[in-house]
Amino acid sequence: MQERLQELQTEAIQKVDQAAGLKELNDIRVAYLGKKGPITEVLRGMGKLSAEERPVIGALANEVREAISARIEAKQSELEEAAVQEKLAGESIDVTLPGRPVNVGSHHPLTKIIEEIEDLFIGMGYEIAEGPEVEQDYYNFEALNLPKGHPARDMQDSFYITEEILLRTHTSPVQARTMKKHQGKGPIKIICPGKVYRRDNDDATHSHQFMQIEGLVVGENIRMSDLKGTLDVFAKKMFGQDREIRLRPSFFPFTEPSVEMDISCKMCGGHGCSVCKQTGWIEILGAGMVHPNVLEMAGYDSKKYTGFAFGMGPERIAMLKYGVDDIRHFYTNDVRFLKQFAIEE
Ligand code: FA5
């Protein structure tokens, strides 16, 4: 029996050493050390041995089992290590290969213009205020001196959701909300950027959804000359020091007096061309002194406080600044159009 055990050990170890893979090694383990293997068989037959032989054979059988086990484990580590090395060799990276080009995004031209305008006004001490796009009729119209049935409501054709709720037609409701929040106490110096909606037919200069940036200053002794000076600084910083501005009388129910601001045409230097429709000027915003009724409705004493407000369309400003001939380019998101603005970042 001793001889048989030794033979088994030699035979098993030889097979383990020759095993080419983990699967084969496991088969050897099962074959020699498993429940149905020859060593278990030997141990089972121990009952037939004499009392003196039993411990000797028992101890030898354990030794043989441990020797085979140890050899299997050593071989297993060896095979596993070899498998890892082989995998690593197969996965090696050629660091000399050129990288794949990455598509780099850029800011949308409207985002750029809005941020530029915001920075410009923040530099003049303004804060940014925001308000809801789904607005109450009260803030969009009534608080701005446009009671129900007022003919000037037709100037801004609206998307109504209910009788009292609509998509805001301009950013002016944010000035009404801000003034109300201040409860009749100045000063206020804000700009309000945001989306607005009108039932306008889309064409080269009109969109049913567009952006506006509203400005509002309220305080004591705020004068028309402050408005003109502010707009002059804005226009020159935005379009260049050589540009002239002019204010034309206009009408907005929430400002009195009201003006529209034109900027001298860059294309023709003010001589007249197709871009400025031969006038030498291009309109860029509406503005005026806050109507006393609007101040009073928000709780301000209009004898003590005055203010100016202005509202501009950043799309039109971006069109002028970047020479874009159709407002719809900003909303159709053709990457060939958008990519041109990445260069400037
Ligand atoms: C207003 O909306 C006033 N709330 C502006 C204002 C504010 C005046 C404060 C006085 C004091 P208006 O309807 O003109 O005004 O619009 C302002 C700007 O929005 C226009 O100058 C134009 O640049 C832009 N705009 C108007 N309608 C459209 C449209 N359908 N598509 C694109 N831009 C538009």
Side-chain angles (χ1 to χ4, degrees), residues 156 170 172 175 198 200 205-207 210 212 214 252 254-255 283-287 309-311 313 316 327:
Q156 302 178 2
H170 51 175
S172 303
Q175 54 156 298
R198 284 187 201 175
D200 284 346
T205 50
H206 292 85
S207 175
F210 57 102
Q212 279 196 345
E214 187 90 2
F252 296 104
F254 28 90
T255 46
E283 179 201 318
I284 59 166
L285 55 80
F310 54 88
R316 303 256 177 101
I327 196 170

Side-chain angles (χ1 to χ4, degrees), residues 144 155-156 169-173 175 196 198-203 205-215 251-252 254-255 258-260 283-289 308-317 327 331:
L144 295 169
M155 286 165 76
Q156 302 178 2
T169 54
H170 51 175
T171 40
S172 303
Q175 54 156 298
V196 300
R198 284 187 201 175
R199 285 175 47 180
D200 284 346
N201 289 327
D202 290 3
D203 62 22
T205 50
H206 292 85
S207 175
H208 59 280
Q209 180 237 289
F210 57 102
M211 306 287 298
Q212 279 196 345
I213 297 184
E214 187 90 2
F251 171 76
F252 296 104
F254 28 90
T255 46
S258 302
V259 291
E260 258 164 339
E283 179 201 318
I284 59 166
L285 55 80
M289 298 305 290
F308 67 72
F310 54 88
M312 64 182 98
E315 285 90 348
R316 303 256 177 101
I317 289 171
I327 196 170
Y331 292 110

Side-chain angles (χ1 to χ4, degrees), residues 20-286:
L22 288 166
K23 160 100 181 54
E24 197 182 325
L25 190 65
N26 197 42
D27 291 346
I28 298 168
R29 183 202 312 275
V30 175
Y32 284 89
L33 305 177
K35 276 187 197 152
K36 292 180 187 155
I39 298 175
T40 317
E41 195 79 352
V42 170
L43 291 171
R44 271 205 203 107
M46 293 233 307
K48 293 182 201 135
L49 297 175
S50 66
E52 295 85 53
E53 271 180 319
R54 232 178 273 154
V56 180
I57 297 296
L60 182 64
N62 279 337
E63 263 172 43
V64 169
R65 185 204 285 273
E66 268 161 33
I68 298 173
S69 236
R71 197 63 161 236
I72 289 175
E73 263 171 44
K75 185 72 183 177
Q76 183 166 345
S77 313
E78 200 180 290
L79 288 172
E80 278 171 354
E81 174 64 15
V84 169
Q85 290 307 334
E86 197 183 311
K87 198 162 178 234
L88 284 178
E91 280 176 2
S92 70
I93 298 165
D94 181 354
V95 289
T96 62
L97 278 177
R100 289 200 188 99
V102 178
N103 271 334
V104 181
S106 61
H107 280 115
H108 192 280
L110 280 181
T111 307
K112 282 176 140 188
I113 278 287
I114 289 166
E115 283 180 357
E116 195 179 333
I117 298 171
E118 280 176 2
D119 284 351
L120 208 152
F121 279 102
I122 288 169
M124 291 198 265
Y126 285 68
E127 282 174 19
I128 294 181
E130 285 182 335
E133 285 171 33
V134 179
E135 186 52 284
Q136 295 172 33
D137 181 278
Y138 175 79
Y139 288 112
N140 196 78
F141 289 130
E142 281 180 50
L144 295 169
N145 205 26
L146 276 150
K148 288 210 168 75
H150 194 292
R153 282 190 178 211
D154 293 348
M155 286 165 76
Q156 302 178 2
D157 216 351
S158 326
F159 289 109
Y160 272 91
I161 292 168
T162 68
E163 286 241 321
E164 296 301 328
I165 308 279
L166 74 163
L167 297 181
R168 69 180 177 191
T169 54
H170 51 175
T171 40
S172 303
V174 186
Q175 54 156 298
R177 283 177 175 274
T178 308
M179 281 195 274
K180 197 155 186 198
K181 212 159 67 192
H182 275 71
Q183 296 184 325
K185 289 185 196 75
I188 299 175
K189 209 171 172 191
I190 52 162
I191 55 159
C192 330
K195 286 196 197 98
V196 300
Y197 305 82
R198 284 187 201 175
R199 285 175 47 180
D200 284 346
N201 289 327
D202 290 3
D203 62 22
T205 50
H206 292 85
S207 175
H208 59 280
Q209 180 237 289
F210 57 102
M211 306 287 298
Q212 279 196 345
I213 297 184
E214 187 90 2
L216 172 72
V217 173
V218 175
E220 293 179 38
N221 290 322
I222 302 292
R223 292 177 300 245
M224 189 82 181
S225 52
D226 297 316
L227 169 64
K228 192 173 178 199
T230 304
L231 295 181
D232 195 34
V233 169
F234 161 71
K236 291 201 159 113
K237 284 203 173 160
M238 202 67 198
F239 296 104
Q241 291 301 320
D242 55 335
R243 308 300 284 277
E244 300 282 319
I245 65 158
R246 78 172 182 191
L247 301 181
R248 272 180 298 110
S250 185
F251 171 76
F252 296 104
F254 28 90
T255 46
E256 182 58 39
S258 302
V259 291
E260 258 164 339
M261 181 174 106
D262 297 339
I263 182 161
S264 58
C265 179
K266 193 183 181 175
M267 304 290 171
C268 59
H271 301 299
C273 66
S274 61
V275 173
C276 59
K277 298 193 181 96
Q278 311 304 329
T279 62
W281 297 95
I282 297 171
E283 179 201 318
I284 59 166
L285 55 80

